[in-house]
Amino acid sequence: LPEDLQFFKHATIGRPIIMGYNTWHSLPVKPLPKRTNIVVSDTLIEGADKTITTLKNIPHDAVIIGGATLYNLAINFVDTIFVTTIGGELNETEYNTVTYGPEISLKEFKKETSTGWLTSKGGYYLTKDGEIDQERRPLMYEIARYDRR
């Protein structure tokens, strides 16, 4: 989703980003430029600026970018969460319309801001075969900020 990528860049450039080992290895470019890249691992990761083994050392302005295990461990330490929800009314058996992130309880958080539902200018629904939907229906998405209560 191009708009989510733009939001990610805006939210993380100039700030430390923290990720797990698998997220680090999934990045197309290592390290992500204009950010301090911190990898949570038991071993030093080549190319990362820093490796930490405890969440107690997280810089206050850091952004945790994944994966699921790190999200679940860090939920007790963070004050703000940004959630991108991608939705639509297409039949899930016909289209690849649903991808789930880790289940994170937002009970202790309150939605503070939201883009509302927007139409992507570059993201399209895909068929089960991975092809762009013939009608080229754009994805609907929302980016919301949740702050700890």
Side-chain angles (χ1 to χ4, degrees):
L1 188 62
E3 295 86 356
D4 187 49
L5 181 57
Q6 284 303 103
F7 177 80
F8 176 82
K9 286 179 183 177
H10 175 75
T12 61
I13 285 187
R15 300 174 72 183
I17 55 173
I18 300 175
M19 68 200 88
Y21 181 84
N22 291 333
T23 300
W24 169 259
H25 282 287
S26 73
L27 296 176
V29 174
K30 295 176 198 71
L32 288 180
K34 300 180 183 175
R35 305 158 183 95
T36 299
N37 289 239
I38 302 171
V39 179
V40 177
S41 176
D42 290 334
T43 59
L44 182 61
I45 307 298
E46 187 175 331
D49 297 309
K50 232 189 245 186
T51 301
I52 62 174
T53 57
T54 176
L55 294 174
K56 294 177 183 174
N57 295 328
I58 292 176
H60 180 64
D61 63 339
V63 179
I64 297 171
I65 66 167
T69 301
L70 186 55
Y71 286 142
N72 288 323
L73 290 171
I75 192 69
N76 296 318
F77 300 98
V78 298
D79 295 321
T80 302
I81 299 172
F82 289 94
V83 177
T84 300
T85 304
I86 298 173
E89 298 179 9
L90 297 177
N91 182 335
E92 290 179 29
T93 60
E94 185 179 353
Y95 296 96
N96 289 325
T97 58
V98 180
T99 300
Y100 297 99
E103 288 188 31
I104 295 175
S105 172
L106 294 174
K107 290 185 292 187
E108 297 179 26
F109 293 85
K110 178 182 177 192
K111 186 187 273 189
E112 292 294 333
T113 61
S114 169
T115 59
W117 285 99
L118 301 172
T119 302
S120 175
K121 292 179 175 45
Y124 297 96
Y125 290 98
L126 300 178
T127 67
K128 287 288 185 188
D129 297 328
E131 302 296 324
I132 292 178
D133 173 61
Q134 288 184 350
E135 295 180 32
R136 297 187 67 82
R137 289 177 267 200
L139 289 169
M140 300 294 296
Y141 71 96
E142 173 194 41
I143 300 172
R145 175 186 170 144
Y146 292 84
D147 289 336
R148 189 173 294 281
R149 294 181 190 267

